[in-house]
């Protein structure tokens, strides 16, 4: 077992990726924390949405910094503005959607591990800004389903309209 060491990460030092139309800046990765958690700051434009999905291994916590994000958990819609924290326990279907022109929020995954999916399916950010829309950044939906399953998750349906 490796020893976990204290660390500090500035915005400029974070591992930044473009992931299916979002900018994700990882403040802590599973590797950094001995697989205890991962923490990312995500910035997305209005309409950005995750498919309905469920995690079998980890909980997710969302904390909105700027903008408005709606988060549906087990059929209940939570409208989250700046300063709002929403907890999605493992095993419950959930999805989220950006409702404001731009939103910025933190995503915390506990325990760690699922951040690997973002790194596997994203690409290094060329700039610290939301990428311009490019259909090539969106993989085949069947590939997304299969890749999520490799990390113990399951895609249950498309993003909310």
């Amino acid at each position: 077992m490796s020893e976990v060491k204290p660390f500090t990460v500035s915005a400029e030092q974070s591992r930044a990726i473009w992931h299916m139309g979002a900018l994700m800046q990882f403040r802590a990765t599973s590797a950094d924390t001995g697989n205890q958690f991962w923490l990312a700051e995500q910035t997305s434009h209005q309409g950005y949405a995750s498919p309905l999905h469920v995690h079998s291994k980890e909980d997710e916590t969302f904390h909105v910094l700027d903008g408005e994000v709606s988060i549906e958990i087990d059929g209940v819609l939570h409208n989250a503005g700046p300063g709002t924290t929403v907890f999605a326990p493992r095993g419950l279907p959930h999805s989220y959607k950006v409702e404001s022109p731009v939103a910025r929020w933190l995503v915390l995954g506990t325990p760690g591990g699922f951040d690997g999916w973002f790194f596997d399916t994203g690409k290094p950010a060329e700039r610290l800004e939301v990428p311009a829309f490019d259909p090539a950044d969106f993989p085949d939906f069947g590939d997304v389903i299969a890749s999520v399953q490799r990390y113990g998750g399951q895609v249950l349906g498309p993003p909310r309209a």
Side-chain angles (χ1 to χ4, degrees), residues 42-46 64 66-69 98 100-105:
Q42 182 168 336
T43 307
S44 300
H45 290 133
Q46 189 168 34
V64 178
D66 298 304
E68 302 276 334
V69 180
V98 174
S100 55
V102 176
R104 188 171 61 94
W105 67 98

Side-chain angles (χ1 to χ4, degrees), residues 55-154:
H55 299 277
S56 65
K57 298 178 182 177
E58 59 279 314
D59 305 316
E60 281 186 308
T61 302
F62 305 90
H63 180 80
V64 178
L65 301 169
D66 298 304
E68 302 276 334
V69 180
S70 61
I71 303 167
E72 184 177 349
I73 304 169
D74 204 23
V76 177
L77 192 61
H78 305 266
N79 293 309
T84 304
T85 300
V86 180
F87 177 65
R90 70 190 80 186
L92 294 181
H94 61 282
S95 67
Y96 56 86
K97 181 178 179 185
V98 174
E99 303 292 348
S100 55
V102 176
R104 188 171 61 94
W105 67 98
L106 297 174
V107 184
L108 172 69
T110 54
F114 196 78
D115 54 333
W117 178 75
F118 293 103
F119 297 126
D120 287 352
T121 56
K123 66 181 184 180
E126 297 170 13
R127 297 170 302 287
L128 293 181
E129 59 188 49
V130 177
F133 178 76
D134 182 353
D137 290 336
F138 296 84
D140 174 79
F141 201 62
D143 291 343
V144 171
I145 291 171
S147 65
V148 167
Q149 288 174 340
R150 286 193 295 276
Y151 283 91
Q154 184 178 2

Side-chain angles (χ1 to χ4, degrees), residues 15 17 26 28-32 35 37-40 58 111-121 151:
R15 185 169 174 190
I17 63 169
F26 285 82
T29 66
S30 297
D32 296 330
N35 212 43
F37 71 93
W38 58 269
L39 177 66
E58 59 279 314
F114 196 78
D115 54 333
W117 178 75
F118 293 103
F119 297 126
D120 287 352
T121 56
Y151 283 91

